[in-house]
Amino acid sequence: MGRMVTVSTCSLNQWALDFEGNASRIISSIRAAKAAGARLRVGPELEITGYGCLDHFLEGDTYLHSWEMLEKILDHEDCQGILLDVGMPVRHRSVHYNCRIIAYNRRILLIRPKLWLANDGNYREMRYFTPWQRPRHVEQYDLRHIDWRISEQQFIPFGDAVISTMDTCVGAETCEELFTPDSPHNHMGLNGVEIFTNSSGSHHELRKLHTRVELIREATRKNGGIYLYANQQGCDGDRLYYDGSAMIIVNGKVLAQGSQFSLNDVEVVTATVDLEDVRSFRSTASRGLQSTHQDSYQRIQTEISLSGDFLDFDPSIKPTEEIEVRYHRPEEEIALGPACWLWDYLRRSGAAGYFLALSGGIDSCSTAVIVFSMCRLVYEAVQAGNQAVIHDARQICGEGVDSSWKPSSPQDLTNRLFHTCFMGTTNSSKETRQRAKDLSHGIGAYHVDLNMDSLVTAATTLFTLVTDFKPRFFVHGGSKTENLALQNIQARLRMVLAYLFAQLLPTVRRRPGGGGLLVLGSANVDECLRGYLTKYDCSSADLNPIGAISKTDLKSFIQWSCSTFPLPILTTFLTATPTAELEPITETYIQSDEADMGLTYKELSIFGRLRKVNKLGPWSTFTHLCHVWSDTLSPRQVYEKTRRFWYFYAVNRHKMTVLTPAYHAEQYSPDDNRFDLRPFLYPVGFSWPWKKVEDWLARWEGREGSDGGTAGTVGDGSTAEELS
């Protein structure tokens, strides 16, 4: 006879330090789980505080308010009669822990601290928390120092234990523990735990979901079991977007999956499973033998039955069938992830919309299309009757509390909150100006077209007046330094204009209450890595939705968007040569980004991954690429490209210290704030690795010297976008 258990997991759009809002969303998820018939509800990691509190986890108030919100949740009438797994930080004996609170009917059954902390990439959990390094050890948490009123409990089991119900056994692991080689679920499963909960704060990266799903499948594919994966979803206050995808997996089969990208604040995923399926799956001799060698977990005994009365069962209840996992294409991920991130940031910031300097190139085009994708998602949610989204849209657009306004189309909403501006000079082409205008019209944005030559002339005239020196472009006989300065003044004036227009355009358009716009940047990850941008130009903004997305992926995204949205104007962006348009156009010279950089965007992506993901320095980068590019490039050509990349990466690293906060989407992002921690004053010559390369080349080419110049020098051909 089967033992049917209905369980729920969820994705919540939590916000760091929004204690009351977070508690409300937790209660809503519990209410939805109970309505679906669930007897167990699992929530995301640190859901009471929000995952991204960072150094606020060092403050006593964070722990105090967590207990206050937990009491509010556990005492709520809608939170009774269901086993709860809730995440929050706990201070135990003056040590901070990242914990799961397992509770039932106002009583806390177990506080389970995280055993293995995430401490690389975007994560710095050991800055705030201490891992519980005492496997299977349990001690008592003293509740008497907390004003705890909803039960008479004074001491609570604290440590690495599991929950034993009348019909099954439940064990918890948290986020990073799934990704470790020796995950806790391996040991718990061999100890008879049948239901595993995993509460995560896992962020989105392009093409990452496959890895996560396979790890969860593998957790139960060998050892059997029911695995409930919960995750945060949305922007909770920084560069990361947590991409939901709550899942329920049984014996390696996916039974339920939540959305990866959504505007919903609460999403609950439910499945009904048969405990006997787990038990029959585990009936192998080898597993039984390994189980006898496992040290036992302390079991917290309860009088709870997750499957109800064994004899009084409902034959109409059926187990949930396996489904096919939904994976988005990378182009869809770019359209949806940054769009949801921008919406969360906009509605929570109190701003009146976004402003973008639209150049007519593919990068700013991509940013504009992502904003349009955001408006499409909002419009779809409005059409579906999502009251929270309707309320937020009206508030952002300056509508009064009694307004019944709803956008009539995505373009209608775009026109209310998105503002673009083409800031042209004599170096701008008619084609780029027209592309910017046509794109803005296609998506419905409020567009401004201006010439800023008078500003550039005023600045250069002032300089000449003060110094009695008139700088000239390189094509007019000037030096590289003069050429650099004349390009940079154009770029930096655009940043100043962007903030002026962003501050005043809502007032110009008579938006009730005025308000200000958030300025968007549009520098891609490859240009940031290479330093191919001007410090404090239009790359300096409030947010950058494409700052960790490669040029190659952006081109694919725009190609996909042409027909998906549809926006036929986008085809003209794909065929245009990427150019900064900061130098005069002549019959023999048109500025080109890849020519300026001396590297293609595809090559930059390769260098970026080798530097960050593969953790290779100059010498190892060279030796690796000698093998990879051996069919197309000689070792000396590989050396020239490798040396060029590392020189410009090093000399421009200082720009990363002021990089606009960007949506994190790529593993080789050069974000200096938290993800990619490096010095910004390098010995740019890298003399020793290049001596090793040149010595090797001399031997390889069969001659004593090297044609590549002396170590520590490079013919950089630097431009405005590279050095300043």
Side-chain angles (χ1 to χ4, degrees), residues 239 523 528 533 539 547 655-662 669-672:
R239 294 160 171 78
C528 294
L533 50 88
S539 65
K655 298 178 185 178
M656 300 304 98
T657 63
V658 295
L659 199 65
T660 295
S669 167
D671 173 24
D672 186 73

Side-chain angles (χ1 to χ4, degrees), residues 524-530 549-552 601 604-605 668:
N524 65 65
V525 68
D526 301 319
E527 291 173 350
C528 294
L529 177 70
R530 172 64 165 71
I549 303 176
S550 72
K551 191 81 160 189
T552 303
Y601 284 105
L604 281 172
S605 291
Y668 68 94

Side-chain angles (χ1 to χ4, degrees), residues 287-305:
R287 182 195 173 278
L289 287 171
Q290 289 188 349
S291 296
T292 62
H293 291 279
Q294 285 291 314
D295 294 332
S296 295
Y297 282 83
Q298 179 175 327
R299 295 195 172 204
I300 309 300
Q301 302 294 333
T302 71
E303 299 298 317
I304 305 167
S305 174

Side-chain angles (χ1 to χ4, degrees), residues 363 527 530 532 551 577-581 590-599 601 721-722:
D363 291 333
E527 291 173 350
R530 172 64 165 71
Y532 188 68
K551 191 81 160 189
T577 301
T579 173
E581 290 194 336
I590 298 178
Q591 189 174 15
S592 166
D593 290 351
E594 290 187 336
D596 281 349
M597 293 188 295
L599 295 165
Y601 284 105
E721 303 303 294
E722 296 168 324

Side-chain angles (χ1 to χ4, degrees), residues 410-428:
Q411 285 83 355
D412 181 25
L413 181 63
T414 305
N415 184 263
R416 297 286 293 266
L417 58 80
F418 189 38
H419 304 68
T420 58
C421 180
F422 182 84
M423 303 179 188
T425 68
T426 55
N427 301 318
S428 305

